[in-house]
């Protein structure tokens, strides 16, 4: 029976009321909280002197973390004077309490300090480096790692972390590629949001929540030639379509703060770039938090050629930089600039208000000591549960690059293994870059992990085999901290001889090689991204024996591995796995966990191919393999990378069906579903990352050959099959056009689904507006 119209609208009306009511309530609550905050901060700011306001903008280092030549002295006095707004690099409840008490009891207005630190992939319990973590393609695992880091950090008095680092990087020479999530804006955005959620939790007031700081805004990963701190020069289209999305995703996820980058954006250093920090970030994206400079990046604007410290500090405050890290440009010059009318009090007030708001949102005005419970410090750090989570995350992050004749997994009984390489019996290098709170003595070496797993059932013949590097000049650069890399007492030849002897006695060789801790990360660009010569020499001697050679590869970046790919039977990429390295590696080598990690940055064949990334444009003369002239290619090498984006093998064998589409013609906001059936035809249960790519072959601008638009991780028993379905709406077809308008254009699209960016099946669809 037809219902009367009045009845229908009544139902609709009450549905709207029911639907809107909780929403309205939440909005009203938010507004009243905001009003309360504004009233409180407004009242406080009325009492503040200009010096005290400028003091809030001054972030100093407590001395435990230093990445530049400048450090701060006399911190205690500064805190009492009100000339310091926050401290980073200081943690531990006793030390933090001392400083917080100095601020709250000793300063005129009792304003609490904010305490920050570079907590990048775990605080005390170290997780895989971010590039490795991204290879899990598992947002739940990533969010959990950030949450555990937040719990440990708050247990030591911290309330602010300088993470996530979301800089897109297409150049593996750049050492900081290790700190991000690789080359893809879509995946990078998802990971950025997951990390912000993991750190900040449901409320910043929670005892175990920290404020995140997304960095480095912006485009730092686009440094020319992959050289650290170098110039970035990029079109607005490249920015908007490829490099900016992860920062925006972090902003949309509610990140509380942002760090400006060292580089220039459109010729203007980020730290003083008004277009970047105000027009884009605040006006276009609606960011409401505060912006902090990078370590002395404000002072460095002078080197960029924009004037002396007073000039660049005035530029920065006007551009929208709120807090000055370490360099004291604001502290030393803003008052003078105000007196000289180069800036206004409104500029200082804006920045001061945003810093105070952050403290308010963290609940520090209510309880400045909220993270200072010494009991938590004793019970919540490096717990078994945290270590277990780090181990599982590491297992999920490993990428199996090669596995000839199913040499892996290794047998758990009755065999002998030559365990060789400078990273085999090594604890320090398990952790990777940026581990300020990490204690390498507590990490598990590969040797320990293997012995722990197989005990006496497998004979282990160990030899170090080589130094990390024999090049003493290079070694000096790597040793920025004590004892990072050293030369063995034995000569390189003697070491290789020992490794060969161990190998001769064994059924299989497991060589644990690659980059040490300080070979990637900040200030660690490399022009040659191969495994160091000393280790290659050892590998070459071992390969001559004709025994199966398994490489366990440590790396903070994609490496060039053409020789290794040809000569090793298997390569397991473990990045820098963190505290539980050895246990996780043993579990994967011996088949307790079937590898499922997938690359998030393309592995080039040689440095000459860089930049090499999967979502490139087509060019007018697209590459075709084979010796054709006048194509976009090289004379001496193929365009194809060694291992493409999204690549990673399993011990099992997965297959997938053709792509099934719900429709082939669509219009407007209709939804398309695309599916494939994935089958595990191999002998092991395992996980597979099913990846959705879309290409837009005709548009108003040249579009990438394909772009990642979705992914799902599926777990299948042997013989099991599952249908994986992706929902696609015009939202996934959008891009920034020449007018920087974000929209989609009607026409044909290719929908690709597969197991990596080069292994896909395709179906075509037409979409009208
Ligand atoms: C790095 C940042 C880091 C800061 C504070 C800088 O050198 O670029 O990533 O957060 O130091 O340690």
């Amino acid at each position: 029976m037809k219902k009367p119209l009045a009845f229908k609208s009544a139902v609709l009306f009450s549905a709207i009321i029911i639907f809107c009511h909780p929403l309205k309530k939440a909005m009203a609550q938010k507004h009243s909280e905001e009003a309360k905050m504004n009233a409180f901060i407004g009242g406080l700011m009325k009492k503040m002197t200009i010096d005290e306001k400028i003091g809030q903008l001054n972030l100093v280092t407590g001395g435990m973390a230093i990445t530049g030549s400048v450090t701060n002295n006399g911190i205690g006095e500064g805190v009492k004077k009100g000339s310091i707004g926050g401290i980073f690099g200081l943690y531990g409840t006793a030390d933090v309490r001392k400083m917080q008490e100095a601020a709250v009891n000793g300063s005129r207005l009792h304003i609490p300090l904010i305490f920050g630190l570079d907590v990048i992939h775990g605080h005390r319990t170290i997780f895989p480096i971010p590039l490795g973590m991204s290879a899990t393609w598992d947002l739940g695992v990533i969010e959990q790692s950030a949450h555990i880091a937040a719990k440990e950090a708050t247990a030591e008095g911290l309330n602010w972390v300088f993470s996530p680092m979301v800089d897109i990087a297409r150049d593996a020479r750049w050492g900081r590629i290790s700190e991000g999530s690789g080359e893809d804006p879509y995946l990078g955005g998802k990971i950025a949001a997951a990390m912000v959620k993991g750190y900040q939790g449901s409320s910043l007031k929670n005892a175990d929540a920290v404020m995140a700081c997304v960095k480095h805004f912006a485009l730092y990963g686009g440094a020319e030639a992959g050289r650290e701190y170098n110039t970035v020069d990029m079109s607005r289209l490249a920015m908007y379509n490829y490099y900016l999305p992860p920062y925006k995703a972090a902003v949309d996820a509610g990140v509380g703060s942002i760090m400006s980058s060292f580089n220039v954006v459109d010729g203007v250093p980020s730290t003083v770039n008004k277009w970047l920090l105000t027009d884009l970030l605040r006006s276009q994206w609606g960011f409401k938090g505060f912006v902090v400079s990078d370590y002395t990046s404000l002072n460095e604007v002078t080197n960029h050629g924009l004037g002396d410290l007073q000039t660049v500090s005035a530029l920065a405050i006007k551009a929208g930089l709120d807090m000055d890290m370490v360099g004291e440009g604001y502290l030393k010059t803003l008052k003078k600039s105000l007196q000289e009318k180069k800036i206004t009090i409104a500029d200082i007030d804006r920045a001061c208000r945003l810093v105070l708001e952050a403290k308010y949102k963290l609940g520090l005005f209510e309880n400045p000591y909220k993270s200072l419970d010494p009991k938590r410090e004793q019970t919540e750090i490096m717990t078994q549960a945290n270590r277990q989570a780090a181990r599982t995350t590491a297992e999920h992050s490993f990428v199996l690059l090669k596995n000839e004749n199913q040499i892996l997994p290794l047998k758990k009984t009755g065999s002998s293994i030559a365990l060789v390489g400078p990273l085999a019996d090594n604890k320090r290098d398990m952790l990777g870059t940026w581990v300020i709170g990490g204690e390498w003595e507590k990490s598990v070496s590969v040797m320990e992990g293997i012995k722990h797993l197989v005990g006496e059932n497998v004979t282990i013949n160990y030899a170090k085999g080589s130094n990390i590097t024999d090049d003493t000049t290079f070694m000096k650069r790597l040793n920025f901290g004590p004892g990072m890399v050293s030369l063995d007492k034995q000569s390189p030849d003697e070491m290789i001889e020992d490794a060969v002897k161990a190998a001769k006695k064994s059924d299989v060789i497991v060589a644990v090689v690659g980059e040490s801790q300080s070979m990637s990360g900040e200030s660690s660009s490399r022009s040659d991204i191969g495994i160091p010569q000393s280790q290659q020499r050892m590998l070459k001697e071992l390969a001559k024996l004709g025994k199966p050679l398994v490489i366990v590869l440590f790396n903070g970046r994609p490496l060039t591995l053409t020789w290794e790919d040809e000569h090793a039977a298997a390569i397991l990429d473990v990045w820098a796995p963190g505290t539980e390295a050895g246990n996780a590696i043993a579990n994967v080598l011996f088949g307790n966990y079937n590898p499922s990690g997938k690359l998030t940055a393309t592995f080039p064949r040689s440095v000459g191919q860089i930049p090499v990334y999967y979502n490139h444009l087509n060019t007018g003369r697209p590459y075709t393999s084979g010796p054709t002239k006048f194509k976009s290619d090289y004379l001496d090498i193929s365009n194809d990378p060694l291992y493409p984006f999204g690549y990673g093998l399993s011990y099992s064998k997965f297959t997938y069906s053709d792509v099934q589409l719900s429709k082939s013609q669509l219009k407007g906001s209709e939804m398309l579903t695309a599916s494939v059936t994935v089958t595990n035809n191999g002998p092991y249960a395992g996980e597979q990352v099913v990846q959705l790519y879309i290409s837009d072959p005709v548009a108003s601008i040249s579009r990438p050959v394909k772009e990642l638009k979705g992914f799902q991780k599926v777990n299948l028993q042997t013989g099991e099959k599952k249908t994986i379905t992706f929902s696609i709406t015009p939202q996934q077809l959008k891009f920034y056009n020449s007018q920087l308008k974000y929209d989609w254009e009607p026409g044909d699209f290719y929908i690709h689904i597969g197991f990596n960016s080069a292994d896909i099946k395709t179906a075509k669809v037409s979409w009208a507006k």
Side-chain angles (χ1 to χ4, degrees), residues 125-126 384 386-392 394 398 430-431 442-444 577-585:
T125 308
I126 301 297
Q384 266 317 307
N386 292 0
R387 291 191 77 132
Q388 181 57 50
R391 184 190 304 185
T392 314
F398 299 165
M430 303 298 101
L431 300 187
K442 293 188 181 162
S443 66
V444 182
T579 307
E580 282 289 308
N583 289 330
I585 290 170

Side-chain angles (χ1 to χ4, degrees), residues 65-68 88 118 120 162 165 176 179 215-216 220 229 259 262 294-295 325 434 436 522:
I66 298 157
T67 56
F88 77 101
D118 286 283
I120 308 296
F162 300 155
M165 189 283 217
R176 299 198 84 169
E179 293 176 50
K215 67 189 189 184
H216 306 80
Y220 186 16
Y229 314 126
M259 188 184 293
F262 286 121
D294 202 344
Y295 201 110
M325 189 193 291
W434 277 121
I436 293 170
E522 186 171 351

Side-chain angles (χ1 to χ4, degrees), residues 37 41 44-45 48 56 111 351-361 365:
M37 175 174 83
I41 291 174
L44 179 59
M45 283 178 64
M48 292 173 81
Q56 287 303 309
I111 300 174
C352 176
R353 177 176 286 275
L354 288 169
V355 172
L356 294 174
E357 277 183 13
K359 295 179 178 181
Y360 186 95
K361 289 177 195 161
F365 286 105

Side-chain angles (χ1 to χ4, degrees), residues 501-576:
K501 268 191 213 146
K504 282 187 175 157
K505 286 194 280 191
S506 309
D507 304 324
V508 51
I509 307 162
V510 173
V512 190
V513 294
E515 292 191 311
S516 65
Q517 181 177 41
S518 51
M519 279 170 78
S520 69
E522 186 171 351
S523 185
S524 303
S525 294
R526 294 177 65 200
S527 72
D528 171 355
I529 55 170
I531 294 175
Q533 285 301 318
S534 57
Q535 301 180 54
Q536 282 195 31
R537 271 188 63 212
M538 174 194 73
L539 290 175
K540 285 179 180 157
E541 289 308 313
L542 293 169
K544 286 183 192 158
L545 303 176
K547 298 209 173 185
L549 172 62
V550 174
I551 293 182
V552 174
L553 181 72
F554 278 68
N555 50 334
R557 52 158 60 82
L559 298 180
T560 49
L561 299 168
T562 32
W563 181 91
E564 292 79 0
D565 183 67
E566 231 172 86
H567 293 87
I571 307 176
L572 181 69
D573 191 337
V574 300
W575 315 106

Side-chain angles (χ1 to χ4, degrees), residues 386-698:
N386 292 0
R387 291 191 77 132
Q388 181 57 50
R391 184 190 304 185
T392 314
T393 309
E395 288 165 7
H396 284 65
S397 75
F398 299 165
V399 183
L400 185 63
L401 297 174
K402 184 177 179 191
N403 194 21
E404 204 172 66
N405 303 326
Q406 299 292 300
I407 185 75
L408 292 179
L410 299 172
K411 286 199 230 81
K412 282 184 192 153
T413 52
S415 65
S416 54
I417 293 176
L419 183 64
V420 300
L423 296 165
D425 184 19
N426 173 316
K427 283 176 177 281
R428 184 194 287 270
D429 294 307
M430 303 298 101
L431 300 187
T433 185
W434 277 121
V435 285
I436 293 170
E439 297 158 281
W440 62 263
E441 299 86 347
K442 293 188 181 162
S443 66
V444 182
S445 73
V446 180
M447 169 100 95
E448 285 168 340
I450 291 180
K451 287 199 167 154
H452 178 232
L453 185 72
V454 296
E456 304 289 303
N457 299 332
V458 172
T459 309
I460 308 287
N461 299 311
Y462 169 76
K464 186 171 172 190
S466 82
N467 294 307
I468 291 285
T469 174
D470 295 335
D471 175 345
T472 49
T473 313
F474 185 47
M475 198 179 324
K476 272 191 205 132
R477 292 298 312 272
L478 298 179
N479 277 327
F480 69 87
M484 286 180 151
V485 182
S486 55
L487 285 182
D488 199 87
K489 283 195 237 44
Q490 280 187 301
S491 74
D493 287 345
E494 286 165 343
M495 289 166 85
I496 291 178
E497 231 171 81
D498 280 357
V500 168
K501 268 191 213 146
K504 282 187 175 157
K505 286 194 280 191
S506 309
D507 304 324
V508 51
I509 307 162
V510 173
V512 190
V513 294
E515 292 191 311
S516 65
Q517 181 177 41
S518 51
M519 279 170 78
S520 69
E522 186 171 351
S523 185
S524 303
S525 294
R526 294 177 65 200
S527 72
D528 171 355
I529 55 170
I531 294 175
Q533 285 301 318
S534 57
Q535 301 180 54
Q536 282 195 31
R537 271 188 63 212
M538 174 194 73
L539 290 175
K540 285 179 180 157
E541 289 308 313
L542 293 169
K544 286 183 192 158
L545 303 176
K547 298 209 173 185
L549 172 62
V550 174
I551 293 182
V552 174
L553 181 72
F554 278 68
N555 50 334
R557 52 158 60 82
L559 298 180
T560 49
L561 299 168
T562 32
W563 181 91
E564 292 79 0
D565 183 67
E566 231 172 86
H567 293 87
I571 307 176
L572 181 69
D573 191 337
V574 300
W575 315 106
T579 307
E580 282 289 308
N583 289 330
I585 290 170
N587 274 341
V588 173
L589 283 179
F590 290 92
N592 285 357
Y593 181 76
N594 181 359
S596 65
K598 301 277 188 171
L599 298 180
T600 58
T602 302
F603 274 46
R605 290 176 189 278
S606 78
V607 168
Q609 281 186 324
I610 292 175
V612 58
Y613 49 94
Y614 86 95
N615 52 348
H616 59 85
L617 304 184
N618 216 14
T619 84
R621 297 188 176 192
Y623 171 73
T624 42
S625 57
T628 39
K629 200 76 183 138
F630 308 115
K631 294 277 184 186
S632 173
D633 63 4
Y634 301 98
L635 287 177
D636 56 348
I637 196 169
S638 119
N639 282 21
D640 297 327
L642 185 61
Y643 306 122
F645 175 84
Y647 172 84
L649 304 172
S650 162
Y651 293 157
S652 208
K653 188 172 163 30
F654 292 93
T655 55
Y656 58 101
S657 68
D658 286 341
V659 179
Q660 301 293 328
L661 298 182
S662 57
K663 291 180 179 175
S664 57
Q665 310 261 346
L666 291 101
K667 194 166 163 32
S669 59
E670 279 183 274
M671 192 173 76
L672 170 71
T673 59
S675 41
V676 293
T677 299
V678 180
T679 311
N680 182 351
N681 294 311
Y684 301 92
E687 288 163 296
Q688 179 61 260
V689 180
V690 187
Q691 301 162 34
L692 166 75
Y693 297 87
I694 299 182
S695 45
D696 184 356
V698 180

